[in-house]
Amino acid sequence: MNNLAEPLLRWFDQHHRALPWRREPRDPYHVWTSEVMLQQTQVATVVPYFHRWLARFPTLADLAAAPLQDVLKLWEGLGYYARARNFHRAAQQVMHDHGGCVPQRPEVLMTLPGVGRYVAGAIASLAFNQPVPALDSNSKRVLCRLFAREQADDSLWSLAEALLPPDRPGAFNEALIELGALVCTPRQPNCAGCPLQFACAAFQRGEPAAYPRPRAGRAVPHVLVPTLVLTDDGDRTLLCRRPTEGLLGGLWEFLSAEQSPTAPLVDADVSALAYRRANLTLDPASVRPLGSVAHAFTHFKVTRQVWLARALNPEALQPNGYAEARWLSPAEVEQLPLTRSDQKIWALCQGGMKVRHLPDWNG
Ligand code: SF4
């Protein structure tokens, strides 16, 4: 065992968090589920989702057999929905190509949808004790500091591989991640409580938080998306399902203008929107602004500018650019997987959310 592994593993054995996916013996499906959920998401957020997921899909076979809409509904609120769609497809691929057994080798795991180097390394090392590294943003930061690397580049992978103890590679990977999450945090590393302080180059240079160097900032595009909460003559509301592939694929939303991070801000011409995307004509007297809802994606921000209106010809509904569109009762709306901002819009409609921005009410 190298001179980092022993103190790190001793620290990990004493201080690691008892998370539900860490129960021994490790189940590869549980490890996989947690790693997919934890990407871009905090542990505290993931825990209840993890329990609900396993209650609904106890095995990989259950996940593979489930309708995509059920998968997306359970994922609702976690964001980055491509993770759920890919996990679902990967489960089907494992059932079809691998007899239902999660592959053990990282190069095979990486042939599955949504499985990159990190997730493959995590499954292979944690569930099958394979001697392969698994570097997430936490462990990359720790390595950069230990070796005073300014950039978290690909060379860290071979460095991590050389550090792996042959008897506990999975625990070593997890310990490095845990150290980054609990001790070697981005802005204020707790070097006094760190088991690797004796070997840390960044600490010895007196500037532990200076590694890795921050990347140059970039401007985040902002997109304004006019959105229509449309009703028919009764209490039904129009919901539209986005195409399966692409941003928020397969999720349902209120009738909206097309979203593109490269598009300029557009005027809220909701009558043209209703006609263009659904072949519907609005009752002009019914159109009124409801408010706005903001949402941030990784690479751009969206503000949904929401309008209420009634359609004069609901039977003429013909979606354009959507997989499908339906007139739904309030109870039916609650059953469908909505995007995060559409959940907020629905709450706005129900009066459960404070209206943050109200332009002219005569629109
Ligand atoms: Fe991070 Fe400080 Fe430990 Fe170095 S000594 S690994 S900077 S917590």
Side-chain angles (χ1 to χ4, degrees):
M1 196 179 283
N2 63 60
N3 69 340
L4 293 184
E6 194 173 333
L8 179 62
L9 288 171
R10 202 179 320 120
W11 172 85
F12 182 65
D13 290 341
Q14 288 176 6
H15 298 284
H16 72 268
R17 291 166 292 181
L19 299 170
W21 46 86
R22 287 180 172 165
R23 288 196 189 108
E24 300 288 351
R26 297 294 176 100
D27 181 314
Y29 171 55
H30 293 191
V31 171
W32 192 356
T33 303
S34 66
E35 294 299 345
V36 174
M37 289 184 171
L38 285 165
Q39 291 170 28
Q40 317 269 0
T41 311
Q42 301 286 326
V43 165
T45 305
V46 165
V47 169
Y49 277 91
F50 180 81
H51 288 304
R52 280 197 295 270
W53 187 270
L54 290 186
R56 171 65 181 82
F57 311 123
T59 67
L60 195 73
D62 295 314
L63 172 60
L68 177 61
Q69 291 295 297
D70 289 8
V71 174
L72 293 174
K73 182 66 186 168
L74 220 58
W75 200 268
E76 198 179 66
L78 265 184
Y80 303 100
Y81 290 86
R83 296 181 293 173
R85 289 196 304 275
N86 283 331
F87 192 16
H88 185 232
R89 279 172 48 219
Q92 292 171 338
Q93 200 167 310
V94 169
M95 297 309 295
H96 186 265
D97 297 346
H98 302 280
C101 297
V102 177
Q104 299 196 10
R105 300 204 326 269
E107 63 273 21
V108 181
L109 285 161
M110 286 172 70
T111 65
L112 299 170
V115 178
R117 192 170 184 180
Y118 167 70
V119 172
I123 296 170
S125 65
L126 290 168
F128 301 116
N129 219 31
Q130 299 269 326
V132 288
L135 293 181
D136 75 344
S137 57
N138 283 316
S139 47
K140 285 178 180 172
R141 182 174 59 255
V142 175
L143 288 179
C144 282
R145 289 173 176 173
L146 284 172
F147 296 93
R149 295 281 182 93
E150 297 201 347
Q151 300 297 329
D153 57 26
D154 277 355
S155 68
L156 291 181
W157 286 87
S158 44
L159 188 62
E161 192 161 10
L163 295 172
L164 283 176
D167 54 338
R168 298 182 67 191
F172 180 85
N173 286 334
E174 207 166 31
L176 215 50
I177 293 167
E178 193 81 334
L179 190 72
L182 301 182
V183 176
C184 193
T185 52
R187 285 187 194 83
Q188 290 187 310
N190 174 21
C191 300
C194 177
L196 303 183
Q197 191 205 85
F198 72 96
C200 180
F203 175 76
Q204 283 157 14
R205 292 179 186 197
E207 46 175 3
Y211 297 88
R213 304 285 185 213
R215 290 184 181 172
R218 56 187 161 77
V220 179
H222 183 195
V223 186
L224 189 64
V225 179
T227 299
L228 259 173
V229 177
L230 264 180
T231 54
D232 65 357
D233 295 333
D235 71 341
R236 295 186 309 167
T237 307
L238 183 66
L239 273 185
C240 308
R241 183 160 63 85
R242 297 175 63 88
T244 304
E245 299 304 324
L247 182 72
L248 304 171
L251 293 172
W252 292 77
E253 68 179 18
F254 297 99
L255 189 71
S256 302
E258 301 81 349
Q259 293 174 20
S260 165
T262 55
L265 302 187
V266 295
D267 292 333
D269 185 350
V270 289
S271 296
L273 165 65
Y275 183 72
R276 183 176 76 253
R277 299 217 75 186
N279 194 41
L280 297 172
T281 304
L282 304 184
D283 172 0
S286 71
V287 178
R288 63 186 179 95
L290 181 63
S292 64
V293 165
H295 189 69
F297 293 92
T298 318
H299 302 300
F300 68 107
K301 292 180 188 168
V302 166
T303 297
R304 306 279 297 274
Q305 193 174 49
V306 188
W307 302 73
L308 285 175
R310 190 175 67 84
L312 288 171
N313 56 342
E315 70 291 344
L317 173 63
Q318 222 175 334
N320 177 20
Y322 283 113
E324 63 177 306
R326 293 187 207 159
W327 292 105
L328 299 165
S329 69
E332 289 169 326
V333 171
E334 307 274 344
Q335 297 302 312
L336 294 177
L338 303 183
T339 79
R340 186 64 164 263
S341 55
D342 285 276
Q343 290 172 46
K344 293 178 192 170
I345 291 170
W346 185 237
L348 200 60
C349 295
Q350 308 296 301
M353 178 174 155
K354 194 173 183 305
V355 176
R356 279 183 285 155
H357 165 70
L358 290 175
D360 297 328
W361 280 79
N362 301 321

